[in-house]
Amino acid sequence: MANATDHLWMHFTRMASYSAGEVPTIVRGDGAYVWDSQGRRYLDGLAGLFVVNAGHGRTELAEAAAKQAAELAYFPLWSYAHPKAVELAERISALTPGDLNRVFFTTGGSEAVEAAWKLARAYFKRTRKPTKHKVVSRYIAYHGTSMGALSITGLPGIKTDFEPLVPGGIKVPNTNFYRAPEHGDDIEAFGRWAADEIGRAIEREGPDTVAAVFLEPVQNSGGCFPPPPGYFQRVREICDAYDVLLVSDEVICSWGRLGEYFGAVRYGYQPDIITTAKGITSGYAPLGAMIASDRLMEPFLTETGMFAHGVTFGGHPVSCAVALANLEVFAREDLVGHVRANEAAFRATLEKLGDLPIVGDVRGDGYFYGIELVKDKATRETFDEAESERLLRGYLSTALFAAGLYCRADDRGDPVVQLAPPLIAGQQQFDEMEQILRAVLTEAWRRL
């Protein structure tokens, strides 16, 4: 559409790149596929943006939205409730691990992360530890774009335009075993080292100043870093020792993406807070949530207690109705079980690409994978900034899309291609992804 460049300001987009061309416009979706305005079909290898977990074209979700909008389109959760928010909060609390029973609704992931940091600060003020306000997170990790969430994010390139940010963000190493700076021959020892770096950071800052540790079950930015065995168990020990809250940022990793409703369940650890969004509605309406333990609610249950935070559209009736319908689809079709049953086949199909000279590492879990690209497999040499620019934005992004695959080619960290298809995907889609990637990556290597 020609007027897209005149009026629409797209997110994280180099607008000048469309000055002489048309903006790709997606008009329809069905299952694991989408179609553009020219009628071309694409395999949605990223579930929109790690969002459309139940797949495109679910009429029952659209019908749930229409029914709720006709009955009660909007009412705030500010001192009032509405039935769908109550029902959804109860449904969520039944799926979360441990005593994570308190659901604070938002409209998206950044807002959920903001709410979690604010709750951590407010909780410690009310429990007579008012100096505990800082947050530990990992290098390259992405936790959102609002000012607080951006301060937790570990990507310098998307922060510089907005500095100074909220003070108190502390960064520690991530769990990229492929580029482990320590214990590169022993994944369990590497995991212990990476977890202990969190403890060392807390010690350096002073335990009386640190409120929370924010970690994704599988780190997204950098290309899907799974946790080494024992990593989260050690992090839990460290948080308990220093009275620091463990926040599991599951904006991507919840709702079946890793073969469980929550990534914390997949890896066997108990967080104090879970942040979530995206797949909770499969993208059919905007919704997010901060899910907190009963313990964190206690200081706010006094006669005058209040968590002085809220957003206008948090827990929107239509979004809650869609989320409930989405979870009915999950239960009826056992989408979480489908991921568990097929994740080994997905991994094996992607690992076939390991015979290409440009593919250095294939990593991830569930339906969430990154393929790291290298210049030299033997030495694991990566591409410099100019080479990465030519490879990713100069060729791969457009070539993959032109070949019929929508995915992410990115260099937040080292160059990677990321894949996170709708949870309904099966071997047919895995093979299609592998074939397109093989052809395009082979040509990319030839062009180097």
Side-chain angles (χ1 to χ4, degrees):
M1 298 178 122
N3 57 355
T5 55
D6 297 331
H7 305 291
L8 180 63
W9 199 332
M10 290 172 285
H11 300 203
F12 282 109
T13 299
R14 297 180 180 184
M15 297 298 292
S17 64
Y18 293 116
S19 59
E22 189 171 325
V23 177
T25 304
I26 303 301
V27 299
R28 183 169 68 90
D30 183 47
Y33 298 89
V34 294
W35 283 258
D36 68 12
S37 55
Q38 306 302 313
R40 292 183 291 255
R41 191 189 78 164
Y42 305 89
L43 172 58
D44 185 356
L46 206 62
L49 193 61
F50 316 103
V51 170
V52 191
N53 289 8
H56 297 276
R58 293 280 189 173
T59 56
E60 62 264 55
L61 303 190
E63 289 166 357
K67 181 180 178 182
Q68 181 59 44
E71 184 176 298
L72 178 68
Y74 175 75
F75 208 79
L77 295 179
W78 300 42
S79 301
Y80 299 89
H82 58 77
K84 294 303 183 186
V86 174
E87 185 181 351
L88 181 58
E90 182 180 18
R91 183 79 174 266
I92 290 171
S93 68
L95 296 171
T96 52
D99 67 341
L100 295 176
N101 295 316
R102 305 293 183 159
V103 183
F104 184 96
F105 286 115
T106 66
T107 60
S110 291
E111 286 181 0
V113 170
E114 290 280 337
W117 193 0
K118 291 179 79 172
L119 176 60
R121 288 184 168 202
Y123 171 79
F124 282 117
K125 281 184 169 59
R126 282 161 175 73
T127 55
R128 300 182 180 179
K129 296 182 179 181
T131 60
K132 291 175 79 71
H133 68 279
K134 298 175 184 175
V135 166
V136 177
S137 59
R138 297 184 288 203
Y139 293 133
I140 314 177
Y142 178 88
H143 293 283
T145 54
S146 54
M147 292 299 277
L150 190 58
S151 303
I152 300 171
T153 290
L155 291 161
I158 68 169
K159 298 165 74 167
T160 52
D161 276 352
F162 313 109
E163 293 174 327
L165 299 173
V166 180
I170 306 156
K171 302 299 177 287
V172 296
N174 57 48
T175 59
N176 183 2
F177 185 58
Y178 184 67
R179 298 199 175 279
E182 302 279 346
H183 306 291
D185 59 346
D186 186 337
I187 192 168
E188 291 192 22
F190 168 66
R192 177 78 180 209
W193 170 83
D196 284 343
E197 282 295 296
I198 294 172
R200 285 187 275 271
I202 293 171
E203 283 285 352
R204 286 193 300 271
E205 295 293 325
D208 60 341
T209 72
V210 180
V213 175
F214 278 69
L215 303 173
E216 298 163 275
V218 173
Q219 182 174 318
N220 171 37
S221 285
C224 301
F225 306 146
Y231 173 81
F232 274 110
Q233 287 69 33
R234 177 59 181 150
V235 172
R236 181 72 267 180
E237 291 174 358
I238 291 166
C239 289
D240 289 342
Y242 293 113
D243 192 18
V244 170
L245 303 182
L246 175 55
V247 181
S248 189
D249 184 355
E250 306 207 16
V251 171
I252 290 175
C253 291
S254 49
W255 311 115
R257 179 57 54 194
L258 299 176
E260 296 285 353
Y261 278 101
F262 293 97
V265 175
R266 166 77 189 241
Y267 299 118
Y269 64 94
Q270 181 60 54
D272 299 292
I273 299 173
I274 287 175
T275 54
T276 187
K278 293 186 184 288
I280 190 172
T281 65
S282 287
Y284 285 72
L287 186 68
M290 174 194 69
I291 312 164
S293 69
D294 290 330
R295 173 174 71 100
L296 299 184
M297 173 66 104
E298 287 176 7
F300 302 95
L301 294 177
T302 63
E303 186 175 341
T304 58
M306 178 180 66
F307 181 40
H309 178 57
V311 289
T312 299
F313 293 113
H316 192 284
V318 173
S319 296
C320 289
V322 170
L324 286 164
N326 184 52
L327 292 180
E328 287 299 319
V329 171
F330 269 67
R332 184 177 70 245
E333 299 182 14
D334 190 18
L335 294 183
V336 174
H338 179 79
V339 173
R340 285 197 301 269
N342 287 279
E343 65 174 338
F346 188 30
R347 176 189 289 272
T349 304
L350 294 180
E351 285 180 342
K352 292 179 182 178
L353 297 168
D355 64 352
L356 298 178
I358 198 172
V359 173
D361 192 29
V362 177
R363 54 181 178 253
D365 275 325
Y367 273 24
F368 189 31
Y369 273 86
I371 301 169
E372 183 168 333
L373 308 179
V374 294
K375 190 157 55 173
D376 188 311
K377 286 172 77 87
T379 64
R380 302 187 182 182
E381 181 184 0
T382 191
F383 299 92
D384 63 32
E385 187 174 346
E387 291 168 334
S388 184
E389 176 73 17
R390 292 195 302 272
L391 173 66
L392 296 178
R393 280 163 286 278
Y395 178 68
L396 275 183
S397 292
T398 54
L400 287 167
F401 192 66
L405 176 62
Y406 167 71
C407 61
R408 169 180 276 179
D410 198 9
D411 58 353
R412 295 177 178 180
D414 295 301
V416 295
V417 174
Q418 279 186 286
L419 298 157
L423 307 189
I424 59 170
Q427 191 61 53
Q428 177 184 337
Q429 287 75 37
F430 305 158
D431 289 339
E432 190 174 345
M433 280 185 263
E434 191 271 340
Q435 290 159 12
I436 292 173
L437 285 163
R438 178 171 295 278
V440 173
L441 291 175
T442 298
E443 176 61 18
W445 181 256
R446 191 189 67 78
R447 289 167 174 251
L448 290 176

